[in-house]
Amino acid sequence: MKNHKNLLLIIVIITLIFTGCSKRKYSMDYPVQPVPFTSVKLTDNFWAPRIQKNATVTIPIAFSYCESTGRVKNFEIAGGLDTGRFRTIYPFDDSDVFKIIEGASYSLQTFPDPELEAYLDTLIWKIGLAQEEDGYLYTNRTIAEMHGGEGLHEWASKNRWELDSILSHELYNIGHLYEAAVAHFQATGKRTLLDIAIKSADLVNRDFGPDRVKVYPGHQVIEMGFVKLYRVTGERKYLDLARFFLDIRGPNGDQYNQAHKRVVDQTKAVGHSVRATYMYSGMADIAAIEKDEAYLNAITEIWEDIVYGKIYITGGIGATGGNEGFADPFVLPNMTAYCETCASIGNIFTNHRLFLLHGEGKYIDILEKTLYNSMLSGVSLSADRFFYPNPLESNGQHERQAWYGCACCPSNIARFVPAIPGYIYAVTDDELYINLFISNNAELKIGDRTMSVSQKANFPWDGRVEITLNPEKNSKFTLNIRIPGWAMNEAIPGDLYKFADHNNDGFKLSINGKVIHPEIINGYAVTVRKWSPGDRVELDLPMPVRTVIADERIKDDNGKIAVQRGPVIFCAEWPDNNTGNILNLVVEKDSAFTTEYVPELLGGTQVIKTTGYQTRRMLGEEPSVLAEEEPVTLIPYALWNNRGPGQMMVWLPTTLESTNPLPAPTIAFRSKVRASKLTRDLSAVNDQQEPENSNDRSVTYYHWWPNKDKWEYVQYDFEKPETISKTEVYWFDDGPEGGCRIPDEWEILYLSGNIWKPINAKVSYKVTKNNWDSLIFEPVKTSAVKLRVRLNRDYSGGIYEWIVE
Ligand SMILES: [Zn+2]
């Protein structure tokens, strides 16, 4: 009897543990849960049309590029449906197909489309055929093995996985496969792609582990992919793999892909910024599910490192192109800003997860700024042109492209845009968070309370938001409405950028017409009460035009202001301004601004107007600058480059020192420039920008690299014959690291009839570093002049500026 009792007790305890476990399994995730986009129907004029265009334009053309470039063909060949060699450039090209399937799956949930669904079915069938018997999926190797190993990409090793931490991207591809598979399963209920993903994941589970292959992913994403697989299957091994791939990073790998330290020891954002943000997102997932403090502390510190020193006012991150990634703090150049579209999307992933962990509005402040500016600039209004880098200043050299050889950005846009409604709301068991202000109707659950919520807003053009709450029955819960930093005199969390002006208008909040003064906690207006069906909350966020100044350590923004209204950053672009010249503008620091909505411009947009000045260098004994008053129109930064390439500028100079006046009409400036080597940099030689020294990277230069040990030239063809008697030249020299040095010798020739003749120099030729070389000669009347340069035997050379008088 006693024994029986004990047995019964044991059974009860076991049952309790099991129920406890299974309960814990579901509650052990983010403390705040997002309301999925499938529960939120947008009714607004800003995002809804963009999401529709993503469905009707971006996704179809992205698939058609995957077909025409051979990305789909790679699966067909690997699957035995066709023959031949690997058709595309990169071994990670498989990932684009997966990402677009993910986007198409999301899109299907908003725009059911049997034709698209059937296309996905066929595509998934081909992917299944391309998967090897044991689950391995990497078309480049599979195709190469059909040809005795020939055609294996140089980034891949003879054996599977071995070079993944360098460049093979095997784990990267399947990481995107897992994300796509979960999306497709959730959208359609079909297991086809999910089964392919599981077969692949089980191979990874067999091949990798503490006592098996220990290669960390060279390009992160599989960590997030495994967490999604874990959530959908409940299989613990997938969660363990996500953690395994994070824990084996560092401490002796490359900074470029964040393997220079163990992930929990990292406190600074370094290296490739897409890899970085995908990793931080994966770490946030582990921090949430396993309640891991070390992970949590690391990403929270890294966030501060980014936001306090490495983010642009547009939300863009990853300043430099060389590493496609983070530079040192405060190194944020505008014209060469990299700000890859994928990095903006990755940063949104990370900030959303940090919000779900901490419930703090500052993460949504960064998310919102990125969403409305640097992410959105990644795609054209027509939804068929894409930016890879998103610079903050242009001389006309930037233009969105229809597709890229490395197509990560278009495919990321395709999958990100349809999921935007999922960032609006979040819940806990007794709280509702309203994070973004976009007109919509949503169905959601707070604990076991079912309710509908709707928003009416004209965001981002207007700060008025009307929220209606419809709980099924009267129920008590906490409503947390985000009060954005920009509505409380904070341009961005931290001190990197500050509003230069003052605004005393606060936000206003009322419930059923009665003004309330809620407590602000962690960036949210918090209201606890018993809510009834039809309760109306009105929020009025102040949206005056604000000017922003940057921390003075950001050299490129010194003496400049940016213009912000709500979360939107504005810019000056060539079509809206009289002369089309933008880079020579200057405005007054305390300029007055007006703002209006222009329905016929760029699909309908707010514009901002002020008065500024066109500046121009003047000829004369004393160099001077002429400033002529001119009206200045600003448009949202994200909308630039929809009317062709040309000049654009976000940071507006407020001093003559910080602007770039138009060149004076000198002989050189009015000449046609030719050279022995034609490059886009040739315009540097007569742009009248003087460097500080022979290796000043802030000023453009022309070079002959990699040529060396030979004569090269630059030539001016004059508008009309001119009498000249003096020349000055400033050489480029990037020694000791670079490949250019001042030349061995140079000479000036002039055109006499059809013959080039040397000028008669009155002094001897010199070759000087870090200063001008000046030469006076007997006057000649001529229509063209040539600067010949003898390059060093071992080095190339270049020129900053060449003056003729
Ligand atoms: Zn990209």
Side-chain angles (χ1 to χ4, degrees):
M1 199 59 199
K2 203 179 163 196
N3 278 346
H4 270 108
K5 222 179 181 175
N6 272 353
L7 187 64
L8 191 69
L9 193 65
I10 289 167
I11 290 171
V12 169
I13 289 170
I14 288 174
T15 318
L16 276 177
I17 290 171
F18 265 91
T19 11
C21 276
S22 73
K23 241 191 159 167
R24 270 175 65 188
K25 198 176 88 191
Y26 292 103
S27 63
M28 289 285 272
D29 209 316
Y30 285 99
V32 183
Q33 283 289 312
V35 173
F37 71 87
T38 43
S39 307
V40 184
K41 300 281 169 251
L42 297 196
T43 54
D44 78 321
N45 293 323
F46 190 85
W47 290 109
R50 285 175 164 83
I51 293 171
Q52 181 149 25
K53 268 203 170 151
N54 187 75
T56 56
V57 180
T58 308
I59 289 172
I61 63 156
F63 274 136
S64 83
Y65 276 108
C66 284
E67 299 276 358
S68 65
T69 56
R71 280 169 171 76
V72 173
K73 187 59 82 183
N74 285 338
F75 288 100
E76 292 171 3
I77 298 169
L81 293 171
D82 207 335
T83 55
R85 301 295 180 102
F86 185 71
R87 293 292 175 91
T88 58
I89 305 166
Y90 301 108
F92 54 70
D93 289 334
D94 293 356
S95 69
D96 296 321
V97 178
F98 301 144
K99 278 156 82 184
I100 303 161
I101 292 176
E102 183 186 346
S105 302
Y106 295 151
S107 189
L108 280 176
Q109 291 175 283
T110 311
F111 306 103
D113 179 346
E115 220 171 290
L116 177 62
E117 207 178 323
Y119 177 78
L120 293 186
D121 288 342
T122 310
L123 198 51
I124 290 166
W125 170 70
K126 291 173 186 171
I127 293 167
L129 291 176
Q131 185 171 36
E132 295 187 18
E133 210 44 48
D134 61 357
Y136 186 75
L137 185 51
Y138 185 72
T139 60
N140 178 267
R141 181 186 309 280
T142 308
I143 294 170
E145 281 173 0
M146 292 169 164
H147 299 94
E150 250 181 77
L152 182 67
H153 202 278
E154 58 177 350
W155 292 350
S157 51
K158 195 161 161 283
N159 300 313
R160 292 174 180 182
W161 316 122
E162 277 176 4
L163 284 183
D164 199 84
S165 53
I166 317 287
L167 273 174
S168 80
H169 290 84
E170 286 155 284
L171 296 169
Y172 172 75
N173 283 348
I174 55 179
H176 278 301
L177 165 71
Y178 302 167
E179 295 205 300
V182 171
H184 182 254
F185 172 67
Q186 288 173 336
T188 62
K190 294 177 191 169
R191 289 191 59 96
T192 44
L193 194 60
L194 185 62
D195 287 338
I196 293 170
I198 288 172
K199 197 171 164 187
S200 156
D202 289 343
L203 172 73
V204 175
N205 188 42
R206 289 195 299 279
D207 281 0
F208 288 83
D211 49 350
R212 289 166 301 242
V213 181
K214 276 199 235 177
V215 169
Y216 63 83
H219 194 314
Q220 300 88 323
V221 78
I222 199 165
E223 305 80 1
M224 278 190 283
F226 267 125
V227 170
K228 287 186 179 175
L229 264 192
Y230 158 72
R231 287 206 186 100
V232 81
T233 62
E235 293 268 11
R236 173 84 208 187
K237 62 185 174 188
Y238 300 139
L239 185 65
D240 293 341
L241 279 164
R243 192 185 179 106
F244 167 77
F245 282 126
L246 288 164
D247 285 346
I248 53 162
R249 299 194 90 77
N252 299 314
D254 284 342
Q255 180 162 301
Y256 171 70
N257 57 21
Q258 300 83 31
H260 59 302
K261 287 182 177 180
R262 298 191 312 142
V263 295
V264 290
D265 295 333
Q266 297 190 27
T267 54
K268 308 274 182 236
V270 294
H272 190 274
S273 48
V274 183
R275 286 167 160 86
T277 50
Y278 286 5
M279 182 175 94
Y280 308 149
S281 300
M283 288 171 70
D285 287 344
I286 298 293
I289 297 169
E290 303 200 329
K291 304 286 173 270
D292 190 307
E293 287 289 324
Y295 270 62
L296 184 67
N297 294 340
I299 48 173
T300 308
E301 260 191 77
I302 290 168
W303 181 87
E304 291 183 354
D305 184 56
I306 295 174
V307 173
Y308 300 167
K310 297 178 181 172
I311 194 166
Y312 283 92
I313 188 64
T314 54
I317 56 165
T320 43
N323 61 343
E324 296 196 311
F326 293 104
D328 287 339
F330 313 110
V331 177
L332 294 161
N334 291 316
M335 194 176 287
T336 58
Y338 202 65
C339 294
E340 184 177 340
T341 301
C342 289
S344 290
I345 291 173
N347 204 28
I348 288 176
F349 291 161
T350 304
N351 277 280
H352 189 228
R353 285 163 163 83
L354 283 167
F355 156 74
L356 297 172
L357 275 168
H358 296 284
E360 290 183 42
K362 62 183 182 183
Y363 301 111
I364 305 295
D365 282 355
I366 298 293
L367 184 156
E368 183 186 62
K369 178 148 279 173
T370 310
L371 184 68
Y372 281 98
N373 300 289
S374 64
M375 185 292 295
L376 188 57
S377 99
V379 57
S380 67
L381 274 175
S382 53
D384 61 353
R385 291 283 185 282
F386 309 92
F387 268 138
Y388 199 117
N390 293 272
L392 283 77
E393 196 170 298
S394 182
N395 195 12
Q397 73 271 48
H398 307 97
E399 192 171 16
R400 289 190 189 85
Q401 306 289 312
W403 190 252
Y404 290 87
C406 168
C408 54
C409 294
S411 54
N412 237 337
I413 287 281
R415 73 175 180 141
F416 176 75
V417 170
I420 288 172
Y423 295 97
I424 299 175
Y425 299 105
V427 292
T428 66
D429 279 348
D430 51 11
E431 293 166 292
L432 169 62
Y433 286 87
I434 298 184
N435 279 330
L436 298 178
F437 308 107
I438 302 173
S439 295
N440 72 85
N441 298 312
E443 302 290 330
L444 50 87
K445 273 182 112 171
I446 302 168
D448 48 15
R449 285 152 289 205
T450 305
M451 61 183 296
S452 65
V453 183
S454 70
Q455 282 190 47
K456 275 195 192 127
N458 184 23
F459 213 76
W461 313 131
D462 191 304
R464 237 185 115 66
V465 186
E466 207 180 293
I467 301 157
T468 307
L469 300 170
N470 271 312
E472 254 181 3
K473 50 181 190 284
N474 292 354
S475 56
K476 190 177 166 189
F477 60 86
T478 305
L479 178 66
N480 298 321
I481 301 179
R482 175 173 154 263
I483 306 299
W486 51 259
M488 294 193 293
N489 284 312
E490 190 182 68
I492 199 168
D495 283 335
L496 194 55
Y497 305 103
K498 284 182 185 159
F499 287 132
D501 54 356
H502 282 280
N503 174 51
N504 294 325
D505 291 343
F507 70 94
K508 288 190 197 72
L509 193 65
S510 67
I511 298 177
N512 298 326
K514 190 168 166 256
V515 174
I516 59 160
H517 301 282
E519 208 183 337
I520 304 291
I521 303 173
N522 289 332
Y524 291 86
V526 178
T527 314
V528 190
R529 61 176 254 155
K530 195 172 230 180
W531 297 93
S532 309
D535 274 347
R536 234 177 61 247
V537 180
E538 280 164 315
L539 173 66
D540 218 333
L541 297 167
M543 236 190 225
V545 177
R546 306 295 304 266
T547 53
V548 182
I549 49 170
D551 186 301
E552 60 186 22
R553 285 169 288 186
I554 306 179
K555 223 176 123 198
D556 225 13
D557 301 344
N558 286 175
K560 298 178 184 176
I561 53 169
V563 177
Q564 173 171 351
R565 184 170 178 272
V568 178
I569 299 297
F570 283 73
C571 70
E573 197 195 7
W574 64 275
D576 306 305
N577 294 283
N578 284 349
T579 59
N581 296 317
I582 296 296
L583 300 183
N584 64 325
L585 281 178
V586 62
V587 297
E588 276 165 42
K589 203 174 173 187
D590 50 359
S591 295
F593 296 96
T594 58
T595 178
E596 60 178 296
Y597 184 79
V598 184
E600 64 277 9
L601 182 67
L602 295 163
T605 183
Q606 201 79 20
V607 299
I608 291 175
K609 292 188 172 170
T610 189
T611 303
Y613 303 88
Q614 285 273 335
T615 61
R616 176 187 294 278
R617 285 183 210 282
M618 297 301 289
L619 290 173
E621 281 303 298
E622 278 294 302
S624 62
V625 172
L626 176 74
E628 287 174 295
E629 197 174 285
E630 185 186 82
V632 175
T633 298
L634 309 175
I635 60 158
Y637 164 73
L639 299 183
W640 87 281
N641 203 254
N642 277 294
R643 295 168 291 178
Q647 294 194 347
M648 180 279 292
M649 185 162 64
V650 168
W651 285 97
L652 308 174
T654 56
T655 62
L656 287 181
E657 294 75 50
S658 57
T659 190
N660 269 316
L662 282 182
T666 57
I667 296 174
F669 181 68
R670 286 183 282 114
S671 295
K672 181 175 167 15
V673 192
R674 301 176 198 244
S676 49
K677 181 169 180 277
L678 275 182
T679 66
R680 213 162 48 182
D681 311 320
L682 189 55
S683 60
V685 301
N686 64 346
D687 66 0
Q688 296 172 20
Q689 288 197 50
E690 184 176 344
E692 272 178 27
N693 54 59
S694 283
N695 194 13
D696 179 351
R697 295 309 180 90
S698 66
V699 173
T700 50
Y701 55 90
Y702 165 77
H703 63 80
W704 289 284
W705 196 85
N707 300 352
K708 57 187 174 188
D709 194 21
K710 62 186 284 217
W711 285 93
E712 301 277 5
Y713 72 87
V714 182
Q715 176 181 332
Y716 286 147
D717 292 343
F718 300 158
E719 238 178 10
K720 56 180 183 11
E722 302 271 4
T723 302
I724 55 169
S725 61
K726 187 184 174 192
T727 189
E728 287 182 275
V729 59
Y730 205 119
W731 308 109
F732 174 69
D733 182 325
D734 60 358
E737 278 93 23
C740 290
R741 298 291 184 274
I742 53 172
D744 285 353
E745 56 178 307
W746 59 288
E747 62 173 354
I748 298 287
L749 306 175
Y750 70 99
L751 198 60
S752 172
N754 289 326
I755 303 164
W756 288 101
K757 291 186 177 166
I759 49 87
N760 284 322
K762 289 185 172 174
V763 290
S764 56
Y765 283 93
K766 289 182 290 128
V767 192
T768 310
K769 189 173 160 176
N770 298 328
N771 210 337
W772 292 96
D773 272 330
S774 174
L775 187 77
I776 297 169
F777 49 86
E778 279 176 19
V780 287
K781 190 167 188 183
T782 180
S783 61
V785 61
K786 186 182 271 194
L787 168 65
R788 289 188 79 221
V789 175
R790 170 73 200 181
L791 299 177
N792 184 279
R793 206 179 62 137
D794 300 316
Y795 293 101
S796 192
I799 293 176
Y800 276 104
E801 194 72 24
W802 176 32
I803 297 171
V804 179
E805 287 168 0

